[in-house]
């Protein structure tokens, strides 16, 4: 239950004075429905109203706050002419100009023969000075509030700064000081104000400099958010670790057979990762490990070893992939690798239906199937396992924190290994996974060929086609990738189809097309044709992004490359350079591209290091965009900026760990305050893991 002291902050913005349903809806759009959401909506600019000149001194095109005596009203003489109000001081006169104004209103706020304050932009109109629609009009005693620095907030159509500013002022009256949850010495070192003070400070910037994300007040609020995130993740993790696991130790017989039959030696990185996984499996707690390795680094063998341990110990293991193509690819690979051990992995995807599916489910339930590969179909409600011990989840470049946490319910104490090809920067990893155990495959198996990457303007498409012709002429196979045009799968497909027709008119029957809408069997047929060399050009949407393994493919053309994330481009490019031939990747772009787009593509040309690419992407695009936050399951931050506040993340991580070590149930005085912090950032779910939550 949310503590009472926070109730007012979670009221709807409609409870604020002057905020009706219509305004509330607009505020909801830019900030959110609750008062706290509004308070988290920070200014991005300022209007400095401190310039208070006499009329004769006022600089045109400047924001000024001017005290004047209203001398005369001149209502418009026709519909299109403006309403003018003349005001004077001892240095001169100026016009206040209003279009489509109501005279009763103007007479009320600017009565003749009285002194008033106006604030707005001063303009020169012929010989006279004027101010069109002053931003503010007030009486003399309001001069102090009117001649301040005014914060400017992101707005939306229909919501004026005036209306939002009023709502904000009302909202700022609501919060009371809260007991401090931050560590005293840290606050002192960073010169951070208390929460309440910080909140007021960020909404009252006195200068452009104070809009910076690194002012003490902004950093403090950012840190509040990061700490709440890390604390929540740490609580979930502590809960998972506490929930009983089973010690799993295989006898090594199956592994030995599989390893003996491999055509290669394991790399040291693979051996180390397997040792780390084994230690987790043997321990009493559940494994929750991330296996991170660039495309082609050899994660599959590591995963298979973990799966074999489960089978050796009499249990079952599954591998789940994010797409059907990838599931099939994994299934083919594992079937081949596990064959020497006499094991035949079962395949379960959305394509298996009816009787066939019933038969597969029965094998899982009776334990007749020891290994299974599939999509999320493996974890549907009606799928039961005899004794599921190890689950490997291949996320490729997707995050699926939630999926992972619910999955554990399928077995008594499933050990979970998550494989990811995204070279997630450390900062992002902390926010998405917390301090999860990680094994990294930094070293690639020998024999990988570097890929030459070139940037080419769309206008030179003919040259690209000619190059493809030369390449296929000497036996190369080519991926031709068409990007997402819009959010819709249909237009995506249309672009791919158009390119397919175009290339077919040049290359004839040697061209194939694969996209997300094809039926499974059709997809397989095209992929097989490409693999076997029956076709040498494969036009594709991003369905080929992951997993596909055709060593003969040495050329990749990517159209509108700027529309892809760098991580995605890296994944795509990882499809070539797998065999012995020299590989080339051509990134096509529009004739004119922006600086950032250019910088991104240049990064692709200059490095093949997934970590460098991911860091660069983060720097150039920001975390939110990096992986498409919404789908990615990455937490979205309101106050923290992963790039600007990157240094605070490890501090928050250590802080969270220390807090829970000393006070696992958050019962101390600071612990109680930290609970409020968790509620403040709506990490209510994590609080449920506390005994007295
Ligand atoms: P990832 O899943 O990390 O992208 P895979 O596990 O699919 O990589 O491995 C990519 C390719 O490298 C596969 O063809 C695999 O057989 C091969 N491979 C894996 N480990 C080694 C190794 N130690 N030496 C040589 N080749 C390897
Ligand atoms: Mg793979």
């Amino acid at each position: 239950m949310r503590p009472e002291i926070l109730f007012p902050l979670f009221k709807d913005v409609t409870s604020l004075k002057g905020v009706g349903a219509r305004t509330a809806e607009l505020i909801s759009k830019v900030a959110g429905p609750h008062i706290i959401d509004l308070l988290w909506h920070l200014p991005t600019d300022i209007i400095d109203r401190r310039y208070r000149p006499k009329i004769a001194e006022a600089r045109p095109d400047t924001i000024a706050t001017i005290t004047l005596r209203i001398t005369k009203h001149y209502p418009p003489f026709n519909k299109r002419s403006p309403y003018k109000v003349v005001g004077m001081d001892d240095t001169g006169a100026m016009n206040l100009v209003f279009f489509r104004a109501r005279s009763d209103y103007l007479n009320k706020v600017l009565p003749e023969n009285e002194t008033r304050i106006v604030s707005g932009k001063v303009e020169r109109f012929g010989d006279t000075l004027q101010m069109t629609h002053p931003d503010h009009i007030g009486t003399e005693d309001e001069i102090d509030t009117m001649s301040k620095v005014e914060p400017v907030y992101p707005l939306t159509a229909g919501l004026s700064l005036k209306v939002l500013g009023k709502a904000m002022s009302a909202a700022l009256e609501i919060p009371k000081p809260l007991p401090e949850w931050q560590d005293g010495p840290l606050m002192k070192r960073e010169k951070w104000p208390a929460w309440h003070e910080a909140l007021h400070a960020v909404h009252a910037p006195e200068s452009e400099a104070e809009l910076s994300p690194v002012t003490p007040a902004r950093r403090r609020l950012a840190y509040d958010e990061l700490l709440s995130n890390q604390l929540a993740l740490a609580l979930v993790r502590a809960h998972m670790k506490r929930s009983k696991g089973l010690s799993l130790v295989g006898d090594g017989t199956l592994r030995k057979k599989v390893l003996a039959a491999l055509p290669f030696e394991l790399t040291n990185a693979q051996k180390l990762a397997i040792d780390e996984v084994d230690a987790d499996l043997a321990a009493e707690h559940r494994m929750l490990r991330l296996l991170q390795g660039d495309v082609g680094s050899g994660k599959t063998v590591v995963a298979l070893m973990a799966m074999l341990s489960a089978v050796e110990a009499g249990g079952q293991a599954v591998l789940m992939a994010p797409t059907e193509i990838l599931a099939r690819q994994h299934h083919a690979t594992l079937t081949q690798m596990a064959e020497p051990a006499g094991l035949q992995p079962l395949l379960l995807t959305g394509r298996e239906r009816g009787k066939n599916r019933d038969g597969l489910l029965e094998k899982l339930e009776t334990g007749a199937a020891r290994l299974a590969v599939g999509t999320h179909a493996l974890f549907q409600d009606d799928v039961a396992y005899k004794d599921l011990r190890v689950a490997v989840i291949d996320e490729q470049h997707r995050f699926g924190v939630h999926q992972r946490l619910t999955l554990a319910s399928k077995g008594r104490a499933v050990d979970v290994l998550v494989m990811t090809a995204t070279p997630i920067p450390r900062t992002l990893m902390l926010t998405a996974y917390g301090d999860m155990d990680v094994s990294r495959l930094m070293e690639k198996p020998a024999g990988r060929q570097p890929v030459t990457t070139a940037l080419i303007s769309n206008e030179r498409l003919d040259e690209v086609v000619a190059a493809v012709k030369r390449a296929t002429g000497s036996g190369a196979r080519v991926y031709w990738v068409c990007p997402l045009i819009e959010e819709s799968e249909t237009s995506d497909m249309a672009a791919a189809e158009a390119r397919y027709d175009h290339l077919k008119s040049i290359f004839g029957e040697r061209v194939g097309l694969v996209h997300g809408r094809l039926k499974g069997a059709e997809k397989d047929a095209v992929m097989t044709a490409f693999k076997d060399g029956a076709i040498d050009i494969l036009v594709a949407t991003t369905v080929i992004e992951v997993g596909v393994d055709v060593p003969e493919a040495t050329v990749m053309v990517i159209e509108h490359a700027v529309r892809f994330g760098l991580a995605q481009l890296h994944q795509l490019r990882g499809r070539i350079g797998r065999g012995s031939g020299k590989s080339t990747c051509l990134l096509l772009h529009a004739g004119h591209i922006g600086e950032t787009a250019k910088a991104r593509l240049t990064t692709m040309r200059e490095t093949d290091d997934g970590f460098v690419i991911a860091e660069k992407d983060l720097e150039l695009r920001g975390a939110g965009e990096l992986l498409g936050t919404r789908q990615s399951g990455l937490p979205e931050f309101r106050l923290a900026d992963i790039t600007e506040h990157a240094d605070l993340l490890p501090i928050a991580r250590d802080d969270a760990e220390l807090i829970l070590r000393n006070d696992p149930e958050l019962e101390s005085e600071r612990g109680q305050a930290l609970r409020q912090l968790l509620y403040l950032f709506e990490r209510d779910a994590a609080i449920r893991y506390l005994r007295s939550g």
Side-chain angles (χ1 to χ4, degrees), residues 296 299-300 326 330 394 396 419 547 575 578:
K299 296 184 288 294
T300 318
L326 190 56
H330 273 312
D394 188 357
Q396 295 293 342
M419 298 198 285
R575 301 299 112 210
R578 306 196 137 210

PDB file of all heavy atoms in Angstrom, residues 296 299-300 326 330 394 396 419 547 575 578, ligand 2:
ATOM      1  N   GLY A 296      28.077 -14.682 -33.857  1.00  0.00           N
ATOM      2  CA  GLY A 296      29.101 -15.620 -34.307  1.00  0.00           C
ATOM      3  C   GLY A 296      30.144 -15.974 -33.265  1.00  0.00           C
ATOM      4  O   GLY A 296      31.138 -16.617 -33.555  1.00  0.00           O
ATOM      5  N   LYS A 299      27.787 -18.919 -28.975  1.00  0.00           N
ATOM      6  CA  LYS A 299      26.993 -19.072 -27.757  1.00  0.00           C
ATOM      7  C   LYS A 299      26.265 -20.405 -27.710  1.00  0.00           C
ATOM      8  O   LYS A 299      26.020 -20.954 -26.636  1.00  0.00           O
ATOM      9  CB  LYS A 299      25.958 -17.930 -27.661  1.00  0.00           C
ATOM     10  CG  LYS A 299      26.583 -16.552 -27.531  1.00  0.00           C
ATOM     11  CD  LYS A 299      25.549 -15.467 -27.347  1.00  0.00           C
ATOM     12  CE  LYS A 299      24.758 -15.169 -28.596  1.00  0.00           C
ATOM     13  NZ  LYS A 299      25.533 -14.586 -29.708  1.00  0.00           N
ATOM     14  N   THR A 300      25.913 -20.908 -28.906  1.00  0.00           N
ATOM     15  CA  THR A 300      25.070 -22.097 -28.957  1.00  0.00           C
ATOM     16  C   THR A 300      25.694 -23.286 -28.225  1.00  0.00           C
ATOM     17  O   THR A 300      25.014 -24.005 -27.494  1.00  0.00           O
ATOM     18  CB  THR A 300      24.773 -22.467 -30.421  1.00  0.00           C
ATOM     19  OG1 THR A 300      24.502 -21.273 -31.139  1.00  0.00           O
ATOM     20  CG2 THR A 300      23.588 -23.386 -30.516  1.00  0.00           C
ATOM     21  N   LEU A 326      14.398 -18.452 -36.506  1.00  0.00           N
ATOM     22  CA  LEU A 326      15.524 -18.681 -35.615  1.00  0.00           C
ATOM     23  C   LEU A 326      15.344 -19.973 -34.836  1.00  0.00           C
ATOM     24  O   LEU A 326      16.306 -20.725 -34.614  1.00  0.00           O
ATOM     25  CB  LEU A 326      15.671 -17.488 -34.678  1.00  0.00           C
ATOM     26  CG  LEU A 326      16.940 -17.477 -33.856  1.00  0.00           C
ATOM     27  CD1 LEU A 326      18.168 -17.543 -34.744  1.00  0.00           C
ATOM     28  CD2 LEU A 326      17.002 -16.225 -33.005  1.00  0.00           C
ATOM     29  N   HIS A 330      18.011 -22.971 -34.870  1.00  0.00           N
ATOM     30  CA  HIS A 330      18.579 -23.556 -33.653  1.00  0.00           C
ATOM     31  C   HIS A 330      18.287 -25.050 -33.599  1.00  0.00           C
ATOM     32  O   HIS A 330      19.122 -25.842 -33.181  1.00  0.00           O
ATOM     33  CB  HIS A 330      17.959 -22.911 -32.415  1.00  0.00           C
ATOM     34  CG  HIS A 330      18.674 -21.664 -31.980  1.00  0.00           C
ATOM     35  ND1 HIS A 330      20.031 -21.590 -31.842  1.00  0.00           N
ATOM     36  CD2 HIS A 330      18.200 -20.447 -31.622  1.00  0.00           C
ATOM     37  CE1 HIS A 330      20.373 -20.371 -31.431  1.00  0.00           C
ATOM     38  NE2 HIS A 330      19.275 -19.660 -31.296  1.00  0.00           N
ATOM     39  N   ASP A 394      17.083 -17.324 -26.046  1.00  0.00           N
ATOM     40  CA  ASP A 394      17.893 -16.561 -26.988  1.00  0.00           C
ATOM     41  C   ASP A 394      17.158 -15.276 -27.300  1.00  0.00           C
ATOM     42  O   ASP A 394      16.157 -15.275 -28.005  1.00  0.00           O
ATOM     43  CB  ASP A 394      18.115 -17.388 -28.259  1.00  0.00           C
ATOM     44  CG  ASP A 394      19.102 -16.701 -29.179  1.00  0.00           C
ATOM     45  OD1 ASP A 394      19.547 -15.589 -28.840  1.00  0.00           O
ATOM     46  OD2 ASP A 394      19.434 -17.279 -30.226  1.00  0.00           O
ATOM     47  N   GLN A 396      18.579 -12.577 -28.638  1.00  0.00           N
ATOM     48  CA  GLN A 396      19.207 -11.791 -29.691  1.00  0.00           C
ATOM     49  C   GLN A 396      19.224 -10.348 -29.240  1.00  0.00           C
ATOM     50  O   GLN A 396      19.767 -10.072 -28.188  1.00  0.00           O
ATOM     51  CB  GLN A 396      18.472 -11.997 -31.012  1.00  0.00           C
ATOM     52  CG  GLN A 396      18.603 -13.430 -31.508  1.00  0.00           C
ATOM     53  CD  GLN A 396      20.025 -13.791 -31.906  1.00  0.00           C
ATOM     54  OE1 GLN A 396      20.837 -12.937 -32.119  1.00  0.00           O
ATOM     55  NE2 GLN A 396      20.321 -15.082 -31.978  1.00  0.00           N
ATOM     56  N   MET A 419      20.635 -15.745 -23.568  1.00  0.00           N
ATOM     57  CA  MET A 419      21.690 -15.443 -24.532  1.00  0.00           C
ATOM     58  C   MET A 419      21.345 -14.145 -25.239  1.00  0.00           C
ATOM     59  O   MET A 419      20.222 -13.959 -25.690  1.00  0.00           O
ATOM     60  CB  MET A 419      21.765 -16.521 -25.613  1.00  0.00           C
ATOM     61  CG  MET A 419      22.091 -17.896 -25.124  1.00  0.00           C
ATOM     62  SD  MET A 419      22.663 -18.931 -26.500  1.00  0.00           S
ATOM     63  CE  MET A 419      21.161 -19.280 -27.365  1.00  0.00           C
ATOM     64  N   GLY A 547      20.254 -15.119 -36.644  1.00  0.00           N
ATOM     65  CA  GLY A 547      20.379 -16.572 -36.704  1.00  0.00           C
ATOM     66  C   GLY A 547      20.711 -17.222 -38.022  1.00  0.00           C
ATOM     67  O   GLY A 547      21.307 -18.281 -38.031  1.00  0.00           O
ATOM     68  N   ARG A 575      25.634 -11.580 -40.675  1.00  0.00           N
ATOM     69  CA  ARG A 575      25.211 -12.715 -41.513  1.00  0.00           C
ATOM     70  C   ARG A 575      26.251 -13.044 -42.563  1.00  0.00           C
ATOM     71  O   ARG A 575      26.212 -14.113 -43.148  1.00  0.00           O
ATOM     72  CB  ARG A 575      23.885 -12.419 -42.244  1.00  0.00           C
ATOM     73  CG  ARG A 575      22.700 -12.098 -41.390  1.00  0.00           C
ATOM     74  CD  ARG A 575      22.352 -13.225 -40.483  1.00  0.00           C
ATOM     75  NE  ARG A 575      22.624 -12.825 -39.112  1.00  0.00           N
ATOM     76  CZ  ARG A 575      22.976 -13.648 -38.157  1.00  0.00           C
ATOM     77  NH1 ARG A 575      23.108 -14.918 -38.384  1.00  0.00           N
ATOM     78  NH2 ARG A 575      23.195 -13.200 -36.946  1.00  0.00           N
ATOM     79  N   ARG A 578      31.141 -15.207 -42.797  1.00  0.00           N
ATOM     80  CA  ARG A 578      31.134 -16.437 -42.011  1.00  0.00           C
ATOM     81  C   ARG A 578      31.915 -17.549 -42.676  1.00  0.00           C
ATOM     82  O   ARG A 578      32.240 -18.543 -42.058  1.00  0.00           O
ATOM     83  CB  ARG A 578      29.704 -16.908 -41.797  1.00  0.00           C
ATOM     84  CG  ARG A 578      28.848 -15.829 -41.210  1.00  0.00           C
ATOM     85  CD  ARG A 578      27.568 -16.396 -40.653  1.00  0.00           C
ATOM     86  NE  ARG A 578      27.316 -15.756 -39.377  1.00  0.00           N
ATOM     87  CZ  ARG A 578      26.691 -16.319 -38.366  1.00  0.00           C
ATOM     88  NH1 ARG A 578      26.244 -17.540 -38.469  1.00  0.00           N
ATOM     89  NH2 ARG A 578      26.532 -15.669 -37.249  1.00  0.00           N
TER      90      ARG A 578
HETATM   91 MG1  LIG B   2      23.547 -18.126 -33.089  1.00  0.00          MG
END
